[in-house]
Amino acid sequence: MSDIPLPQSENDPVLSRIEVLVADITTLNVDVIVNAANESLLGGSGVDGAIHNAAGPELLEHNKTLDGCKTGLAVITPSFNLASRSIKHIIHTVGPIWREVTDNPLPGQPNVNAKIGYTLEDTLLASCYMQALTLTTNHKLETIAFPSIATGVYNFPKPRAAKIAFGHIFGYLSNYAPNPETDFPKKVTICCFSQADADLYIQTIATKDDWM
Ligand code: AR6
C-alpha cells in the first residue's frame, strides 16, 4: 500500500481530508468501506468478490434478506468478519453500466441530461458517492474508503469517473461536512487498485481548478 501526497493539500482544509491510496480495500483501517455491488447485492467479481470473501458468508446471508439495491442508491450493512479489523460497516452501492449512447431517461420529453452536457450514467455515478457519504454522515462514521465505482466490469470511462468521484467527494465535504471537529466523515480515502488509477486521480485533483 502506498500513501500518495495530494497536490496543494496542505493549504486546503478540504483537500487535506482526502487521500489517494493503492490498496486492497478490505485491508484498510477505516470505519466503513464502499462496495461496488450489483442490484442483487448477492456478490460478484472485482471488489464485490473481494469484500464478500473477506466479510464471509454471513454477509451473503444478510444481503439475501434485503430487497436488492437500485442503480445509484446505497445500503449499509454490518461488516461481519471484517469487524476483526477496524471496518465496522460496508456500504453497498450500485454504479451504472456505461453505455456509449444513453437513452433518453424520460421518453417523449426533452433529454435534459444531454442538453446540459452530462449523461444519465454521470448522474447515477454521482448519486452513488452522495448516497454513500450521506449514510456515513447519518451513521456518524469518521472514515470511509471508496473504490473506483463502475470503472471495472461496468466499464465507466476512468477519467470521467475520477472527476465525478473527486468532484462529489470534495463538494460533499465542503458543503455538508465542512468541520472535521464536529462533522462526519472526517476523512475520505479513494482506494485505487493500481498505480495507474492512482496517478489518474492525482492528475485529476491537480487540475481541479480547470474543470470544477
Ligand atoms: N480493492 C480495491 N479496488 C478493487 C479491488 C479491491 N480488492 N478489486 C477490484 N478493485 P469492479 P464495477 C477495483 O469491476 O465496475 C461485480 O461483479 C477495480 O480495479 O469491481 O462497479 C459486481 O457484482 C476497479 O477500479 O466494479 C457488479 O456486477 C474498481 O474496483 C460489477 O462487478 C471497480 O471495479 C460492478 O462493476
Side-chain angles (χ1 to χ4, degrees), residues 23-26 35-39 43-51 93 95-96 147-156 158 191-194 197:
D24 173 350
I25 202 166
T26 64
N35 183 16
N38 59 57
E39 288 193 343
S45 60
V47 71
D48 196 8
I51 289 174
T93 189
S148 192
I149 299 164
T151 62
V153 171
Y154 283 177
N155 213 24
F156 202 104
K158 289 185 178 188
C191 178
C192 297
F193 208 43
S194 71
D197 285 358

Side-chain angles (χ1 to χ4, degrees), residues 23-104:
D24 173 350
I25 202 166
T26 64
T27 66
L28 294 183
N29 193 20
V30 292
D31 292 336
V32 57
I33 59 173
V34 176
N35 183 16
N38 59 57
E39 288 193 343
S40 77
L41 296 182
L42 302 181
S45 60
V47 71
D48 196 8
I51 289 174
H52 272 267
N53 280 341
E58 274 181 291
L59 176 60
L60 178 59
E61 290 311 309
H62 177 87
N63 283 5
K64 282 180 184 169
T65 68
L66 306 176
D67 196 20
C69 179
K70 295 287 184 202
T71 301
L73 301 185
V75 296
I76 190 164
T77 70
S79 66
F80 301 102
N81 290 349
L82 280 168
S84 61
R85 305 181 192 165
S86 76
I87 298 168
K88 298 176 190 141
H89 299 279
I90 301 166
I91 291 172
H92 307 262
T93 189
V94 184
I97 299 169
W98 178 261
R99 297 180 179 88
E100 277 303 318
V101 178
T102 303
D103 293 336
N104 188 344

Side-chain angles (χ1 to χ4, degrees), residues 22 158 192-202:
V22 181
K158 289 185 178 188
C192 297
F193 208 43
S194 71
Q195 187 61 48
D197 285 358
D199 290 344
L200 173 65
Y201 270 98
I202 299 298

